[in-house]
C-alpha cells in the first residue's frame, strides 16, 4: 500500500500499487474534473506530481499536454498509476454549484399540508388498577388506525415515559410512528428536499408545519469523477463494487449538505422526519442503491417507476434514523422524477387548454409538452456538450468559465468569478456561436468562413481586424480564439474549434427535433405554442436571444420564453410540504405519455433538418 497526499487539501489516502490517480483522488474525496470517466479522451483530469514518479507519458498525455507541461510534472490522473508514496497538486477549481440553489422561478402557491404529523399527549400514569402496557397506553391516545412502531422506538419507551411524567410528543408519517420525544416538541417538525442532478446535488431544509423554506445549499455531485454523463455512471455501476461506490458518494454528498443546512439553522438532525428526493432516473437508482444496468440498452427499462419509500438509517442519511425517505416516481428510463418536479412546479398538469413546452437542459435534456389536456414527454441525448464535455476547452459552470460572449467593437467575455478564463461552459458556447453567426464568421451549415475568401464587394461585409486575427487554421479546420494565452488561466489559448461547433449542432439538433416530434404527436405546430419554460441552471443562464438564433428553441417571439428557475427542486419542495401535491406526483406516471424518440422513424429526419443554424 502507498500513501497519496492531494494538495492543497492535504487529503491522504492509502491505495494499492497500480491504482490510477483519478481513483485515488475519488477515494480521498478530492474532486478532479474528468468528464470522460477515466478513459483519457477528455484530457481534463490534469494534476501535477510534486513527489513520486510514475513512468513515462502515454500517448493520450502527449496529445493533451504540452511538452512544457509534461516537463513540469503535469499528468492525466486517469493515465498514471501509483507506484510509490506520492504528493499530487490538484488545480484549485472553485465550485459554483450554489448558483443552482439561488435560482428563483415562478412557483405556484403552496399551503402547508405535511405528511408528518406531530402530536403532544399527556398519558395517565399506570396503577395497580390500570396495568395497560406502555405501548397500548400510548396508542390509545393516537388517531386510528394504530401506527406501526419499530423495535428501536419501543425499546426506549418505558424509561422515556417515566422520566417525562408520561408527557411526550409523537411524530407520525405514512402509518408509522417515527419518534417519541420528551415534552412538547410539536413546533420542531422539519424535512429535506433533494434534487440529485448528474452534475449538482441541491438540498433544501423546510419547516413542515408552515411550509417555510429555511435554508438551501448545493454541491457538485462527487460521482462525476466516474464520468460526466449517465451512461458513464451506469457503466461504472455495472462493474465490481461500482454501484455501492456511487451510492455511497451521493449519500455522502447529501449528508454534507444536510449537516451544513442544519448547522446554519440550528436544528437537531433528530427533528428531521422526512426526506423527499427527485432526480433523473439513473441518479434516482444510484441514490437508492438499485442496479441501473438495464437503463442503458434498449428498451431502457428502469427497475422501478412508482414512488419508493425507505428509512433514513437504511440508506445512511443523517437525519432521524426512522425518518421517512421518499423518492418520487420516474416517468421512463430517461425521464425521471426531476421532470415530475418540473411538472409540479410549473403546473403543466393543471394547464388546461394552454399549450406549454417545458425544457430542462442539464447533462440530459428532458422536454414536456402540455397541450389539449395531454402531457407528452421525451428525452434527448443533448447534455454532455452543453455541460462542457466533448468541447476542446469545455468545462462546467465553475469559476473561470466563460459564460457569455459579445462581439461589438471588440470581443467581450463574461467569466464566472471575474477571474482569468479557464474554459467555456454551455451558456458561453451558445453565446459564442450565436455571436460568430451574427458576425458572419460561421455560416448556417456551421462551418467557419475562411477570412481570406471574404470579399467585401460581393459579400457586402468586411471582417474587423480584431476578429480576423482570432480566426486561424487549427488541427481540424479553422478555430476561433476566445482568450489569448496571456489572458487565460490555463497557460494556453482558449479556442472554439470546428469540432466544438459540430458538437453544439448535434446537441441543439437533438433538442429541436425532440420538441418537433412532441408537437407532431399532439397535432400542433410551433406557432401554437403559447409559452416555452426554461428550467434548470442551464436554461436560466443562457441568453434567450442566442438560443433562438442557433435554433436551440422553437422559433417564437422572445417574450414567450420564460426562465422558471430550478423547477425540479421547487417541485420537490412543494411535494414535501403538501400531501395534495404529492398525490399529483403519484398520478403522473399514469397520465404522462412518453415518446421514445429512438423508435420514431421521423426523428432522424427532424434531427438532420435541425442541424443547420437557420432558426426553427
Amino acid at each position: 500500500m502507498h500513501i497519496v497526499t492531494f494538495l492543497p487539501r492535504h487529503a491522504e489516502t492509502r491505495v494499492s500499487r497500480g491504482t490510477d490517480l483519478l481513483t485515488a483522488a475519488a477515494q480521498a474525496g478530492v474532486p478532479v474534473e474528468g468528464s470522460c470517466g477515466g478513459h483519457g479522451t477528455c484530457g481534463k483530469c490534469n494534476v501535477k506530481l510534486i513527489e513520486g514518479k510514475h513512468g513515462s507519458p502515454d500517448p493520450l498525455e502527449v496529445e493533451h499536454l504540452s511538452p512544457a507541461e509534461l516537463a513540469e510534472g503535469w499528468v492525466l490522473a486517469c493515465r498514471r498509476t501509483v507506484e510509490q508514496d506520492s504528493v499530487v497538486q490538484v488545480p484549485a477549481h472553485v465550485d459554483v454549484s450554489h448558483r443552482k440553489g439561488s435560482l428563483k422561478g415562478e412557483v405556484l402557491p403552496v399551503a402547508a399540508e405535511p405528511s408528518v404529523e406531530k402530536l403532544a399527549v399527556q398519558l395517565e400514569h399506570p396503577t395497580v388498577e390500570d396495568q395497560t402496557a406502555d405501548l397500548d397506553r400510548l396508542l390509545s391516545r393516537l388517531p386510528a388506525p394504530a401506527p406501526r412502531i419499530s423495535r428501536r422506538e419501543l425499546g426506549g419507551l418505558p424509561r422515556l415515559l417515566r422520566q417525562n411524567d408520561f408527557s411526550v410528543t409523537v411524530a407520525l408519517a405514512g402509518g408509522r410512528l417515527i419518534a417519541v420525544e420528551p415534552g412538547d416538541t410539536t413546533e420542531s417538525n422539519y424535512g429535506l428536499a433533494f434534487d440529485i442532478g448528474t452534475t449538482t446535488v441541491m438540498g433544501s431544509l423546510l419547516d413542515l408545519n408552515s411550509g417555510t423554506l429555511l435554508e438551501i445549499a448545493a454541491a457538485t455531485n462527487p460521482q462525476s469523477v466516474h464520468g460526466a454523463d449517465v451512461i458513464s455512471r451506469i457503466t461504472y455501476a455495472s462493474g465490481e463494487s461500482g454501484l455501492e461506490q456511487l451510492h455511497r458518494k451521493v449519500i455522502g454528498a447529501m449528508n454534507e449538505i444536510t449537516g451544513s443546512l442544519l448547522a446554519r439553522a440550528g436544528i437537531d438532525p433528530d427533528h428531521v422526519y422526512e426526506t423527499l428526493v427527485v432526480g433523473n432516473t439513473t441518479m434516482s437508482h444510484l441514490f437508492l442503491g438499485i442496479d441501473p444496468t438495464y437503463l442503458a440498452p434498449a428498451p431502457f427499462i428502469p427497475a422501478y417507476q412508482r414512488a419508493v419509500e425507505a428509512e433514513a438509517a437504511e440508506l445512511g442519511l443523517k437525519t432521524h434514523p426512522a425518518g421517512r425517505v421518499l423518492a418520487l416516481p420516474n416517468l421512463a428510463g430517461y425521464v425521471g422524477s426531476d421532470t415530475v418536479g418540473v411538472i409540479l412546479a410549473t403546473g403543466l398538469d393543471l394547464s388546461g387548454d394552454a399549450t406549454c413546452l417545458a425544457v430542462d437542459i442539464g447533462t440530459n435534456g428532458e422536454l414536456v409538452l402540455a397541450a389539449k389536456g395531454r402531457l407528452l414527454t421525451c428525452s434527448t441525448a443533448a447534455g454532455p456538450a452543453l455541460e462542457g464535455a466533448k468541447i476542446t476547452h469545455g468545462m462546467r459552470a465553475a469559476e473561470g468559465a466563460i459564460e457569455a460572449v459579445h462581439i461589438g467593437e471588440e470581443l467581450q467575455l463574461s467569466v464566472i468569478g471575474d477571474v482569468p478564463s479557464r474554459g467555456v461552459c454551455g451558456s458561453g458556447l451558445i453565446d459564442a456561436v450565436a455571436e460568430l453567426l451574427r458576425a458572419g464568421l460561421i455560416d448556417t451549415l456551421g462551418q467557419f468562413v475562411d477570412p481570406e475568401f471574404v470579399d467585401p464587394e460581393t459579400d457586402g461585409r468586411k471582417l474587423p481586424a480584431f476578429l480576423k486575427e482570432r480566426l486561424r487554421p487549427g488541427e481540424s479546420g479553422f478555430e476561433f480564439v476566445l482568450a489569448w494565452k496571456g489572458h487565460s488561466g490555463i497557460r494556453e489559448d482558449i479556442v472554439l474549434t470546428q469540432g466544438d461547433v459540430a458538437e453544439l449542432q448535434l446537441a441543439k439538433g437533438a433538442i429541436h427535433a425532440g420538441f418537433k416530434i412532441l408537437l407532431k404527436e399532439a397535432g400542433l405546430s410551433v406557432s401554437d405554442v403559447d409559452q416555452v419554460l426554461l428550467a434548470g441552471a442551464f436554461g436560466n443562464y443562457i441568453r434567450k436571444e442566442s438560443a433562438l438564433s442557433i435554433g436551440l428553441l422553437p422559433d417564437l417571439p422572445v417574450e414567450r420564453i420564460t426562465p422558471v428557475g430550478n423547477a425540479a427542486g421547487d417541485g420537490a419542495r412543494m411535494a414535501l410540504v403538501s400531501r395534495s401535491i404529492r398525490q399529483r406526483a403519484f398520478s403522473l406516471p399514469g397520465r404522462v405519455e412518453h415518446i421514445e424518440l429512438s423508435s420514431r422513424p421521423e426523428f432522424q429526419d427532424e434531427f438532420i433538418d435541425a442541424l443547420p443554424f437557420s432558426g426553427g
Side-chain angles (χ1 to χ4, degrees), residues 141-224:
R141 296 295 306 277
L142 303 182
R148 304 185 306 277
I149 184 169
S150 69
R151 185 180 63 84
R152 176 176 49 237
E153 292 300 326
L154 180 59
L157 183 63
R159 189 176 300 274
L160 178 68
L161 291 176
R162 286 157 181 82
Q163 287 181 342
N164 294 279
D165 196 31
F166 285 82
S167 176
V168 293
T169 297
V170 296
L172 305 168
R176 290 193 299 116
L177 191 152
I178 293 176
V180 183
E181 299 166 349
D184 185 348
T185 62
T186 51
E187 292 187 1
S188 298
N189 188 14
Y190 304 101
L192 293 165
F194 278 96
D195 172 17
I196 303 177
T198 313
T199 303
T200 304
V201 180
M202 190 186 75
S204 306
L205 174 66
L206 292 96
D207 183 323
L208 297 182
N209 289 335
S210 65
T212 304
L213 174 62
L214 302 176
E215 296 285 350
I216 191 167
T220 297
N221 189 331
Q223 297 172 342
S224 58

Side-chain angles (χ1 to χ4, degrees), residues 47-71:
V47 298
K48 188 175 184 179
L49 285 174
I50 306 299
E51 296 179 13
K53 301 300 180 183
H54 304 289
S56 302
D58 79 353
L60 287 170
E61 289 179 309
V62 173
E63 176 184 344
H64 291 293
L65 299 171
S66 69
E69 289 173 324
L70 292 169

Side-chain angles (χ1 to χ4, degrees), residues 45-90:
C45 61
N46 52 314
V47 298
K48 188 175 184 179
L49 285 174
I50 306 299
E51 296 179 13
K53 301 300 180 183
H54 304 289
S56 302
D58 79 353
L60 287 170
E61 289 179 309
V62 173
E63 176 184 344
H64 291 293
L65 299 171
S66 69
E69 289 173 324
L70 292 169
E72 291 174 2
W74 289 93
V75 301
L76 296 184
C78 68
R79 312 312 296 170
R80 292 299 180 102
T81 58
V82 176
E83 307 298 331
Q84 56 187 263
D85 290 356
S86 308
V87 178
V88 180
Q89 178 77 43
V90 177

Side-chain angles (χ1 to χ4, degrees), residues 427-443:
S427 61
L429 175 65
I430 289 175
D431 245 15
V433 172
E435 289 292 279
L436 292 174
L437 273 167
R438 186 174 61 82
L441 271 71
I442 294 177
D443 63 25

Side-chain angles (χ1 to χ4, degrees), residues 475-524:
E475 293 182 2
S476 56
F478 282 97
E479 61 186 28
F480 183 82
V481 180
L482 290 170
W484 298 107
K485 177 179 180 179
H487 296 91
S488 81
I490 59 169
R491 310 176 298 280
E492 61 182 281
D493 295 340
I494 295 175
V495 300
L496 181 71
T497 70
Q498 187 66 70
D500 298 337
V501 177
E503 288 291 340
L504 177 59
Q505 287 180 277
L506 294 175
K508 75 99 178 179
I511 293 170
H512 194 105
F515 67 68
K516 280 293 191 69
I517 296 294
L518 291 184
L519 287 170
K520 280 189 175 183
E521 182 68 23
L524 300 171

